[in-house]
């Protein structure tokens, strides 16, 4: 899909590079949109315990230490 998007941008904006075409037209790349959608989905799952996929998350932990980025979930041992 990224290749199709790249080709379409070249057809629409033949004088601009791929990155410049996105920057000048304030568009986001396919990978960026997928990442944003994934982040939104994860946020929705975390905020709502009744969400259909909430049972797939690891158990939450309460960290009493004052950390810059406190952990919300237990990190599994590998």
């Amino acid at each position: 899909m990224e290749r199709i998007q790249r080709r379409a941008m070249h057809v629409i904006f033949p004088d601009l590079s791929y990155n410049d075409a996105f920057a000048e037209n304030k568009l986001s790349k396919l990978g960026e949109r997928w990442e944003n959608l994934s982040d939104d989905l994860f946020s929705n799952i975390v905020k709502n315990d009744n969400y259909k996929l909430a049972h797939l998350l690891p158990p939450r932990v309460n960290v009493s230490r004052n950390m810059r980025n406190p952990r919300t979930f237990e990190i599994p041992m590998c």
Side-chain angles (χ1 to χ4, degrees):
M1 291 182 73
E2 188 78 33
R3 185 172 35 164
I4 294 169
Q5 180 175 328
R6 184 178 292 273
R7 180 71 182 139
M9 294 303 283
H10 180 70
V11 169
I12 296 168
F13 306 105
D15 297 334
L16 297 176
S17 71
Y18 183 65
N19 291 327
D20 291 342
F22 280 101
E24 284 192 25
N25 296 290
K26 298 182 178 105
L27 300 171
S28 58
K29 295 180 183 177
L30 187 61
E32 293 170 354
R33 290 194 302 271
W34 285 346
E35 187 172 333
N36 290 338
L37 287 171
S38 297
D39 290 343
D40 291 344
L41 175 63
F42 183 75
S43 295
N44 289 336
I45 294 170
V46 169
K47 290 177 188 173
N48 185 0
D49 289 334
N50 295 325
Y51 200 91
K52 293 179 184 178
L53 302 173
H55 69 280
L56 298 174
L57 294 176
R60 296 180 189 209
V61 293
N62 293 326
V63 177
S64 60
R65 291 183 236 135
N66 187 10
M67 301 175 79
R68 188 176 301 166
N69 296 316
R71 291 185 184 153
T72 306
F73 297 101
E74 183 177 326
I75 297 175
M77 296 296 288
C78 297

